[in-house]
Amino acid sequence: MAATVAYCVCYLRCSFSRIDLSDLAAKLAQADANGEQVLAIVATAGTTDAGAIDPLVEITAMAAERNIWLHVDAAWGGALLLSEKYLHYLDGLELADSVTLDFHKQFFQTISCGAFLLKDARHYELMRYQAAYLNSGFDEEQGVPNLVSKSLQTTRRFDALKLWMGLEALGKKTVCRNH
Ligand SMILES: Cc1ncc(COP(=O)(O)O)c(C=O)c1O
């Protein structure tokens, strides 16, 4: 295979605003034919305009077969994780390499409160920024949590606190009434 290149898969969306699987397959085959390595597929669980959820199970399988990174933007639809009735719409999400969730959307938190999650925690190492004045050797040796190695931001607000408090105060059932 030729030198690995970053490749952007532009896929059609079918009439339900979901990724058109046959078009995605054709784009991947074309990349293969061109000797290009596809860097990532980005699917959406809850598009901004239509709320559409891409066929995650099928896309996950296509990505796994070719060893392509799969990211799912679940900023909008990720709150279905709390829903017993609609949770199945997110089937396949658990297999994604990375996921974004916005708690300031359907989790009803104040702006901003979002998360970038990785299936394999070792991949956080890729975004680690090592600076002597930020990463204390003592903290690292002692295992003191330091989010500077898990975030692109340096100064971090304690966003998780409001999410935790909201869920504790309302309970899953109350939050789910809206989903
Ligand atoms: C699907 C989706 N992804 C990402 C975003 C970006 O959201 P934010 O900039 O609030 O994190 C939005 C915003 O509406 C969205 O609908």
Side-chain angles (χ1 to χ4, degrees):
M1 189 169 278
T4 301
V5 293
Y7 189 88
C8 176
V9 178
C10 304
Y11 32 73
L12 290 171
R13 293 198 158 254
C14 68
S15 54
F16 295 107
S17 293
R18 304 167 85 210
I19 285 180
D20 180 329
L21 289 173
S22 54
D23 188 61
L24 177 59
K27 293 277 181 343
L28 294 175
Q30 187 61 55
D32 275 352
N34 295 345
E36 295 164 331
Q37 170 71 46
V38 176
L39 189 65
I41 297 174
V42 179
T44 309
T47 55
T48 309
D49 47 0
I53 298 175
D54 286 325
L56 301 177
V57 172
E58 291 84 349
I59 295 173
T60 302
M62 289 164 84
E65 194 183 323
R66 288 154 193 269
N67 206 19
I68 298 172
W69 186 275
L70 176 64
H71 176 76
V72 180
D73 177 349
W76 186 245
L80 292 180
L81 287 168
L82 298 177
S83 167
E84 283 169 22
K85 194 168 167 192
Y86 299 113
L87 176 63
H88 63 281
Y89 285 145
L90 297 181
D91 282 355
L93 183 70
E94 72 284 2
L95 299 171
D97 295 295
S98 56
V99 174
T100 44
L101 279 178
D102 260 356
F103 301 108
H104 60 247
K105 293 192 167 63
Q106 302 272 33
F107 285 87
F108 310 112
Q109 296 303 312
T110 53
I111 294 170
S112 71
C113 192
F116 174 67
L117 306 171
L118 287 166
K119 184 168 69 179
D120 184 340
R122 285 173 304 179
H123 287 135
Y124 283 109
E125 288 301 311
L126 299 172
M127 65 171 76
R128 172 189 284 270
Y129 180 72
Q130 193 68 33
Y133 69 98
L134 289 174
N135 310 81
S136 139
F138 175 82
D139 284 0
E140 299 213 351
E141 274 162 35
Q142 300 297 314
V144 176
N146 183 356
L147 293 180
V148 79
S149 55
K150 294 190 173 57
S151 166
L152 296 180
Q153 292 171 301
T154 304
T155 303
R156 296 151 312 281
R157 290 158 299 194
F158 191 2
D159 289 337
L161 179 63
K162 59 188 175 187
L163 175 66
W164 178 79
M165 285 186 74
L167 291 174
E168 281 290 307
L170 296 174
K172 190 179 157 191
K173 271 210 167 115
T174 308
V175 178
C176 284
R177 272 213 301 267
N178 298 291
H179 301 310

